[in-house]
Amino acid sequence: MKSTVSGTADGTLSYEQAGVNYDLIDPLKVTAQRAAASTATLLGRHGFAEVAASRGESAYVVDVGPFYIASIVECLGSKALVADEMAALTGRSWYEGIAQDTIAMAVNDLITVGATPLVVQAYWAAGGSDWFADAARAQALVAGWKRACEICGVAWGGGETPALAGIVEGGRIDLAASCTGLINPKQRLSVGDRLAPGDTIVLLDSSGIHANGLSLARKLVERLPQGWLTEVAPGMSYGEALLAPTVLYSPVTEALWQAGIVPRYCANITGHGWRKLLRHPGRFTYRIHTLPPVPPVLAFIQREARQDDREAYSTLNMGAGFALFVAAEDAARCVEIAQAQGIGARIAGGVEDGPKRLLIEPLGITFGDEDLQLR
Amino acid sequence: MKSTVSGTADGTLSYEQAGVNYDLIDPLKVTAQRAAASTATLLGRHGFAEVAASRGESAYVVDVGPFYIASIVECLGSKALVADEMAALTGRSWYEGIAQDTIAMAVNDLITVGATPLVVQAYWAAGGSDWFADAARAQALVAGWKRACEICGVAWGGGETPALAGIVEGGRIDLAASCTGLINPKQRLSVGDRLAPGDTIVLLDSSGIHANGLSLARKLVERLPQGWLTEVAPGMSYGEALLAPTVLYSPVTEALWQAGIVPRYCANITGHGWRKLLRHPGRFTYRIHTLPPVPPVLAFIQREARQDDREAYSTLNMGAGFALFVAAEDAARCVEIAQAQGIGARIAGGVEDGPKRLLIEPLGITFGDEDLQLR
């Protein structure tokens, strides 16, 4: 493990330095992706076929005739460790929000392809049976899970609650969610084939760090004299600000469909920060002219980790949790529809002909194709 | 954690003594099940409805009109720890089989409701990026995952490979699989409503311990002078025998459908051993007259753990990995069809009117309703 690695000589703390070494994971990912792709033809046995364009997208899509089925499994990551630290400091449980974060990881990915999430399954793997003995914490997890399902209109189908001593660390829990949804009617499919120059980029506000960048955030706390209780805004501690639950965006995508709007592409802005705006496999230039406000906790992290804008926007969501790429004539209505759902939104830029790159003009930052290798 | 608890004064080793305390997990399960059930009505927003009888079954089923969708997430459990021990002793990777075990956990549950598994998602949460640095092990995991998908005719849609230092223990991996399938045509639904006295119980052979009872098996090794390398059969070590991959039963259920046979109920025999034959919510007596052969590793565990038959059959699969409850006139063909797929099978007993209980006549064992509380 690399969790003891600290920052560079100038004090900058980057994501790789915070303990995740993608060089070790990525060769496996490539092999796994190839093996996975080779299994697609097996669907032919059942008379079905994959939507090949969904390979490499945030959810996998199968054509079953009358509609498409999308499915996914997603992990919370290390945000629960912050909840545990804050529980020790404050005496209250933070797992209601953690539950929402976990569901958001799955749902916000599933909706990128145009799916309506229908069923969520819970994967709660504890380090031992005694994790469940803290009734207040366990009930908070249940309550938050249920509430997130209600917000998204998904049925909680069931799940697994294994006790995995020897695999999951004692006192910890590994949280994940699987989600299955339908793309129905089939015109709702959005895997990027209709994205074109002239389209508009609408960014939906985040609530904070969401559930990506937590390794960095946890590393940073070691530098803070008051640790998790350091104020990032008046009356708001660093720990509490980090634990703001991830926004659930499916009410927006469902409302868009009700209004007759089908996004041409969607990107859930998670790991790799704004580089995720380069996710579409095509060759386009994305020009950003307007930035969302940066949540105080993210501004604080950027400042304390001594990151320049390029590093910050390449790692954190910096206020943008989800990107909708829509026809220009739909953009203003998109913003209104999101706001009607209580989620801040703005027209942030557009899609142009040109080399594959992202220009964040207000900050003078450019990311190129070489900055995001997900496939 | 209770992992240091040993057996009783007479040397018997039971499952609870092996480290899993269900008393702590079950209150949470009950609360979670109630909360989950309350979300079912949310499907109405999308014009769909759950199949209520699937609540409490091994997979969750939603009626989406032209067919039903089934979904699930399942955990491998602690079998990977045995693979790690055996890798250290033998210098080879055992993760190809472990991959099959993980997929079997999901697929064998999904098929109980009559579903054809279509898509599997991989959840591979490592204790740190360095887990993936062992290329041979990682490639074995990929190869085994792909092969299991091929056996089951499922597409590997994608998945998650997080590095979760601080949650998953260093050098370990938490493996799970989600699976989505279709019940198509809808007549294939098997949630037990047609089970009736006079039906026949066909048991499909297991290959060994599968992936349940591993906590007990790992505890037991502490008593063995030669540990994992103790012979359980000529030339077959305890560790190797434990690592026999779980049988994938979906080729059988698919072949049954091709032959026009729809089981009236199915039970995947996992945790709780043969008590799973009592899973159906109705009031029936299940009378077993013929037992499958007990795999050597399970006979060895029973003997070394000094379990009587009742304890062994209430914990381990004892040679029966999957139960088909079928119309009496279909039973002989079921056996032939399973055997044609290379899976041993036999007519083991029948369903009768009477109090809810399981009579294993050759052993003189009775389990009652109070012995299995899953709902």
Side-chain angles (χ1 to χ4, degrees):
Chain A
M1 280 181 295
K2 304 192 71 186
S3 56
T4 56
V5 177
S6 59
T8 58
D10 67 350
T12 304
L13 199 58
S14 76
Y15 200 68
E16 282 68 20
Q17 287 156 352
V20 178
N21 186 341
Y22 284 110
D23 291 344
L24 294 178
I25 300 177
D26 287 349
L28 169 72
K29 273 201 173 176
V30 171
T31 313
Q33 282 166 356
R34 280 191 197 134
S38 77
T39 63
T41 53
L42 297 168
L43 292 167
R45 284 193 207 171
H46 315 294
F48 303 134
E50 74 170 13
V51 173
S54 73
R55 287 263 171 215
E57 293 300 325
S58 297
Y60 182 63
V61 183
V62 174
D63 186 345
V64 294
F67 33 64
Y68 300 107
I69 292 182
S71 62
I72 194 165
V73 67
E74 285 291 325
C75 172
L76 171 66
S78 62
K79 192 165 180 175
L81 295 174
V82 180
D84 294 342
E85 298 282 355
M86 285 297 286
L89 290 168
T90 65
R92 56 165 281 214
S93 174
W94 298 81
Y95 271 81
E96 193 156 339
I98 288 295
Q100 177 169 329
D101 286 310
T102 309
I103 291 188
M105 289 302 97
V107 162
N108 292 347
D109 264 4
L110 193 87
I111 61 176
T112 61
V113 293
T116 300
L118 285 189
V119 178
V120 161
Q121 304 280 354
Y123 183 72
W124 302 347
S129 323
D130 54 351
W131 196 92
F132 302 106
D134 179 340
R137 181 174 59 182
Q139 300 293 346
L141 180 60
V142 170
W145 201 273
K146 176 169 179 268
R147 186 165 170 277
C149 288
E150 290 166 351
I151 292 170
C152 297
V154 300
W156 177 0
E160 276 270 274
T161 54
L164 294 181
I167 295 176
V168 175
E169 294 205 2
R172 303 299 184 189
I173 193 161
D174 178 19
L175 295 168
S178 72
C179 189
T180 300
L182 291 190
I183 299 165
N184 177 30
K186 290 174 104 171
Q187 304 91 280
R188 282 190 68 175
L189 182 69
S190 88
V191 287
D193 46 310
R194 289 174 305 131
L195 188 69
D199 286 349
T200 295
I201 302 170
V202 172
L203 294 177
L204 305 183
D205 288 358
S206 72
S207 60
I209 197 168
H210 286 186
N212 289 93
L214 272 300
S215 296
L216 171 69
R218 288 168 43 234
K219 189 74 198 157
L220 180 62
V221 81
E222 298 168 15
R223 293 190 181 177
L224 307 175
Q226 293 181 273
W228 300 106
L229 300 181
T230 306
E231 279 203 343
V232 298
M236 171 69 73
S237 72
Y238 180 54
E240 184 174 0
L242 287 173
L243 289 168
T246 305
V247 178
L248 295 158
Y249 294 110
S250 70
V252 176
T253 50
E254 289 304 299
L256 288 176
W257 170 251
Q258 293 300 325
I261 296 174
V262 176
R264 272 134 179 222
Y265 193 65
C266 297
N268 185 20
I269 301 176
T270 54
H272 303 92
W274 282 47
R275 291 180 286 167
K276 277 279 167 71
L277 295 174
L278 290 162
R279 178 162 201 145
H280 188 282
R283 188 168 164 282
F284 297 108
T285 292
Y286 306 93
R287 188 182 303 271
I288 301 294
H289 54 66
T290 302
L291 298 177
V294 179
V297 69
L298 299 183
F300 176 87
I301 289 173
Q302 178 182 3
R303 188 171 66 246
E304 295 293 324
R306 299 180 207 173
Q307 294 188 336
D308 59 22
D309 287 335
R310 187 182 168 80
E311 177 74 21
Y313 279 77
S314 75
T315 307
L316 303 167
N317 71 58
M318 299 307 278
F322 198 88
L324 298 161
F325 299 75
V326 297
E329 64 268 27
D330 291 332
R333 269 204 307 151
C334 274
V335 170
E336 286 164 22
I337 287 165
Q339 289 174 340
Q341 295 292 326
I343 294 172
R346 70 207 66 243
I347 293 175
V351 182
E352 302 176 1
D353 264 325
K356 184 160 187 170
R357 56 184 180 168
L358 168 66
L359 308 173
I360 308 178
E361 291 196 327
L363 302 172
I365 299 172
T366 300
F367 290 112
D369 196 15
E370 67 284 2
D371 292 314
L372 184 73
Q373 298 297 340
L374 293 176
R375 289 158 206 268
Chain B
M1 282 180 292
K2 305 192 69 187
S3 55
T4 56
V5 177
S6 59
T8 57
D10 68 350
T12 305
L13 199 59
S14 74
Y15 199 70
E16 281 67 21
Q17 286 156 354
V20 178
N21 186 340
Y22 284 110
D23 290 344
L24 293 177
I25 300 177
D26 286 349
L28 168 73
K29 273 200 174 176
V30 171
T31 313
Q33 282 166 356
R34 279 192 197 134
S38 78
T39 62
T41 53
L42 296 167
L43 292 167
R45 283 193 206 171
H46 315 294
F48 302 134
E50 74 170 11
V51 173
S54 72
R55 285 264 171 215
E57 293 300 324
S58 298
Y60 182 64
V61 183
V62 174
D63 186 345
V64 295
F67 32 65
Y68 300 106
I69 291 180
S71 63
I72 195 165
V73 67
E74 284 293 324
C75 172
L76 171 65
S78 62
K79 192 166 181 175
L81 294 174
V82 180
D84 293 344
E85 298 282 354
M86 285 296 287
L89 290 168
T90 65
R92 55 164 284 216
S93 174
W94 298 81
Y95 271 81
E96 194 156 337
I98 288 294
Q100 177 168 328
D101 287 309
T102 309
I103 290 187
M105 290 300 97
V107 162
N108 291 348
D109 265 2
L110 193 86
I111 61 176
T112 61
V113 293
T116 300
L118 285 188
V119 178
V120 160
Q121 304 280 354
Y123 183 73
W124 301 347
S129 322
D130 54 353
W131 196 93
F132 302 105
D134 180 339
R137 181 174 59 183
Q139 300 293 346
L141 180 60
V142 170
W145 200 273
K146 175 168 179 270
R147 186 165 170 278
C149 288
E150 289 165 353
I151 292 170
C152 297
V154 300
W156 177 1
E160 276 271 273
T161 55
L164 293 182
I167 295 176
V168 175
E169 294 203 3
R172 303 300 184 189
I173 193 161
D174 178 19
L175 295 169
S178 72
C179 189
T180 300
L182 291 191
I183 299 164
N184 176 34
K186 290 173 105 170
Q187 304 93 279
R188 283 190 69 176
L189 182 69
S190 90
V191 288
D193 45 312
R194 288 174 306 129
L195 187 69
D199 286 349
T200 296
I201 303 171
V202 173
L203 293 178
L204 305 184
D205 288 358
S206 71
S207 59
I209 197 168
H210 286 185
N212 289 94
L214 273 300
S215 297
L216 171 68
R218 288 167 44 234
K219 189 73 198 160
L220 180 61
V221 81
E222 297 168 14
R223 294 191 181 177
L224 306 176
Q226 293 181 273
W228 300 105
L229 301 180
T230 305
E231 278 202 344
V232 298
M236 171 69 72
S237 72
Y238 181 53
E240 185 174 0
L242 287 173
L243 288 168
T246 306
V247 177
L248 296 158
Y249 295 109
S250 70
V252 176
T253 50
E254 289 304 299
L256 288 176
W257 170 250
Q258 293 300 323
I261 297 174
V262 176
R264 272 135 181 223
Y265 192 65
C266 297
N268 184 22
I269 301 176
T270 56
H272 303 91
W274 282 47
R275 290 181 285 167
K276 278 278 166 72
L277 295 174
L278 289 163
R279 179 163 200 144
H280 187 282
R283 188 170 164 280
F284 298 107
T285 292
Y286 307 92
R287 187 182 304 270
I288 302 294
H289 53 67
T290 302
L291 297 177
V294 180
V297 70
L298 299 183
F300 176 87
I301 290 171
Q302 180 181 2
R303 189 171 65 246
E304 295 293 326
R306 299 180 206 175
Q307 294 188 336
D308 60 20
D309 288 336
R310 188 184 167 81
E311 177 75 21
Y313 279 77
S314 76
T315 306
L316 303 166
N317 70 60
M318 298 309 277
F322 198 88
L324 298 162
F325 298 75
V326 298
E329 64 269 25
D330 291 333
R333 272 205 304 152
C334 274
V335 170
E336 287 164 22
I337 288 165
Q339 289 173 340
Q341 296 293 325
I343 294 173
R346 70 208 67 241
I347 293 176
V351 182
E352 301 176 1
D353 264 325
K356 183 160 188 172
R357 57 184 180 168
L358 169 66
L359 309 173
I360 309 179
E361 292 196 327
L363 302 171
I365 299 171
T366 301
F367 290 111
D369 196 16
E370 67 285 2
D371 292 313
L372 184 72
Q373 298 296 342
L374 294 175
R375 289 156 204 270

